[in-house]
Amino acid sequence: MLLTVLGCSGSLPSADSPASGYLVEADGFRLLLDLGNGVLGALQRHGDPFGLDALVLSHLHPDHCADFSALTVLRRYHPDPPYDTRARRLPVYAPSEAATRLAAAYAPSEAERGETDLSDVYEFHRLTPGTVHIGPFELTVEQVAHPCEAFGFRLTTDGRTLAYTGDSGPCEALRKLAESADLLLAEACWPHEPEAHPPDLHLSGLEAGQLAAVAGVRRLVVTHVPPWADRQQMATEARSAFPGEVDLAFPGATYQVG
């Protein structure tokens, strides 16, 4: 399993990185986790975006799905696509309101009302807690602690496991997803100041490290650090709680999982 970081900036793109987007590949199958601002451009540096086999959206905040409208333009209006995108719709695994909310983001005006049904080029699947098979991957889904409907994931194939927190405050669901994972991709949005931040929203660097330690993961990759936060502080906090390998995600970084 190969993980490629397309974007890792939290809350909005930074000068150096798109927002959240992660390409996961195994056995020739290409799955994209999240599609935040700027991710579609980065994806094109790593292959043809028509080569995606599935898209999984952790939640519907813009920094995790804003480029969906651009992907829709590509799939509907490219003059010479490599295949019929209406006959081969892209599977999209997403929260319950994805089909209507992403359609509204794409065509919000009354004049474009006829274009708001995106089912011509996408096949929407509602995420619920449990396990689903997508290509070679077993995807385990858990709802996590965030203000909107949001999910974290555990991807397993060939005995290798990648866990992804999405956006979440500390919760038992994250520990279950991360248990003994080969690689944990964990957000860290702010320094550890519990009194200064609202609950059930994001992890601190320390909390990302604590999660990695209690779950017994092999490797931690810290991601989703906002442009106004100190990336090195997030990594330092994580390392203070987790004795294993800790990396800071950056665009273009690749990781062999397992």
Side-chain angles (χ1 to χ4, degrees):
M1 189 192 319
L2 179 67
L3 166 67
T4 301
V5 177
L6 303 178
C8 55
S9 182
S11 300
L12 69 160
S14 72
D16 303 313
S17 175
S20 294
Y22 311 93
L23 181 64
V24 188
E25 300 173 86
D27 299 336
F29 192 95
R30 305 177 81 224
L31 181 149
L32 184 62
L33 289 174
D34 285 338
L35 186 58
N37 324 58
V39 170
L40 184 59
L43 177 63
Q44 293 173 70
R45 292 194 289 272
H46 297 274
D48 187 343
F50 284 103
L52 281 181
D53 296 294
L55 171 62
V56 179
L57 298 177
S58 63
H59 64 294
L60 300 180
H61 283 158
D63 59 322
H64 293 258
C65 69
D67 269 15
F68 195 90
S69 292
L71 182 64
T72 302
V73 172
L74 179 76
R75 294 185 64 81
R76 276 184 164 171
Y77 299 117
H78 192 290
D80 189 25
Y83 54 82
D84 184 345
T85 55
R86 285 161 172 79
R88 183 177 155 188
R89 297 179 298 162
L90 179 68
V92 178
Y93 298 80
S96 57
E97 297 180 346
T100 53
R101 287 184 54 192
L102 294 171
Y106 172 74
S109 72
E110 188 69 18
E112 295 177 302
R113 183 174 56 184
E115 296 189 25
T116 57
D117 180 2
L118 305 183
S119 63
D120 59 327
V121 290
Y122 299 114
E123 180 184 281
F124 286 97
H125 301 268
R126 178 182 177 180
L127 287 171
T128 57
T131 299
V132 62
H133 287 86
I134 306 175
F137 298 106
E138 179 182 89
L139 177 72
T140 300
V141 180
E142 293 282 354
Q143 191 157 0
V144 296
H146 204 53
C148 64
E149 184 183 25
F151 300 93
F153 306 114
R154 180 182 177 92
L155 276 168
T156 300
T157 186
D158 295 328
R160 297 171 176 85
T161 297
L162 164 69
Y164 173 47
T165 62
D167 281 11
S168 176
C171 61
E172 175 62 14
L174 293 183
R175 187 202 61 76
K176 290 168 61 178
L177 291 169
E179 188 70 31
S180 301
D182 294 290
L183 189 150
L184 170 61
L185 184 61
E187 70 129 293
C189 204
W190 47 45
H192 192 67
E193 300 170 355
E195 302 304 318
H197 304 299
D200 296 337
L201 188 58
H202 291 294
L203 299 177
S204 67
L206 179 65
E207 287 165 336
Q210 290 171 335
L211 171 62
V214 74
V217 307
R218 293 180 57 189
R219 186 177 196 178
L220 170 63
V221 177
V222 174
T223 191
H224 198 269
V225 181
W228 52 77
D230 185 333
R231 283 168 49 83
Q232 292 302 324
Q233 181 180 0
M234 299 301 103
T236 297
E237 285 193 2
R239 292 184 180 113
S240 73
F242 177 59
E245 186 173 359
V246 177
D247 294 318
L248 270 173
F250 62 89
T254 59
Y255 301 92
Q256 286 288 347
V257 179

